[in-house]
């Protein structure tokens, strides 16, 4: 069984990886979904089921939400633990994924920073959360 901290540690290995929309190559190019998908695949979780590759930069559909709802367990943000996945919306539609570290930060590929970063989870970011998800089969 995979421990939650292993998800965080795997995502931290991707820090400083350059941002590329739909990137799926740790160390070379990742986007926000790529961080989650590659960490899941590396650890033998359901990464292949949650991979989304045919999306525009600003998703206008519920596709990402539908895939997360189908393959991960939705939980209240207040119950988030290290390794859980946060779904955020910068505008109207949820369009960004991040991995919660449990220490008040998230790991995500940030287009403005042009790389994978670990960012403090501010009150402003908390207001952007539209869903919190947990991988199945972790301890």
């Amino acid at each position: 069984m995979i421990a939650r901290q292993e998800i965080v540690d795997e995502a931290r290995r991707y820090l400083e990886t350059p941002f590329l929309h739909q990137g799926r190559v740790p160390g070379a190019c990742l986007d926000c979904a790529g961080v989650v998908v590659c960490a899941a695949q590396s650890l033998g979780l359901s990464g292949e089921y949650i991979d989304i590759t045919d999306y525009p930069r600003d998703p206008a559909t519920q596709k990402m939400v539908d895939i997360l709802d189908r393959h991960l367990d939705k939980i209240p943000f207040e119950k988030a633990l290290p390794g859980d996945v946060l779904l955020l919306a910068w505008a109207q539609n949820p369009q960004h994924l991040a991995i919660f570290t449990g220490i008040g930060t998230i790991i995500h590929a940030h287009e403005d920073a042009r790389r994978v970063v670990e960012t403090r989870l501010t009150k402003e970011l908390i207001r952007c959360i539209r869903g919190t998800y947990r991988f199945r089969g972790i301890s």
Side-chain angles (χ1 to χ4, degrees):
M1 186 169 272
I2 303 297
R4 331 188 126 273
Q5 190 59 43
E6 289 180 77
I7 300 168
V8 174
D9 293 344
E10 183 64 24
R12 280 196 176 120
R13 288 182 8 151
Y14 308 155
L15 292 173
E16 301 302 319
T17 296
F19 175 90
L20 179 66
H21 179 65
Q22 297 185 6
R24 297 292 188 275
V25 184
C29 61
L30 290 169
D31 69 0
C32 65
V35 171
V36 174
V37 167
C38 290
Q41 288 176 342
S42 176
L43 296 169
L45 297 169
S46 61
E48 67 275 7
Y49 301 113
I50 63 169
D51 199 1
I52 309 162
T53 56
D54 60 342
Y55 51 90
R57 284 186 180 275
D58 296 315
T61 69
Q62 284 286 111
K63 188 173 191 176
M64 186 180 291
V65 175
D66 293 342
I67 289 172
L68 292 170
D69 283 344
R70 196 171 332 129
H71 298 289
L72 295 135
D73 294 326
K74 191 166 188 177
I75 60 166
F77 172 69
E78 297 74 29
K79 296 189 183 243
L81 295 170
D84 288 337
V85 177
L86 302 181
L87 174 65
L88 300 103
W90 299 147
Q92 264 185 301
N93 297 304
Q95 63 194 51
H96 192 71
L97 297 176
I99 295 178
F100 183 61
T101 65
I103 58 167
T105 62
I106 57 173
I107 299 168
H108 60 128
H110 195 285
E111 186 172 11
D112 291 345
R114 303 176 63 131
R115 66 189 191 285
V116 177
V117 295
E118 187 165 347
T119 305
R120 192 168 65 86
L121 191 57
T122 62
K123 289 179 184 179
E124 292 79 22
L125 280 176
I126 290 171
R127 282 194 289 271
C128 294
I129 296 171
R130 297 297 180 269
T132 305
Y133 295 86
R134 183 162 291 158
F135 285 104
R136 296 173 182 148
I138 61 172
S139 60

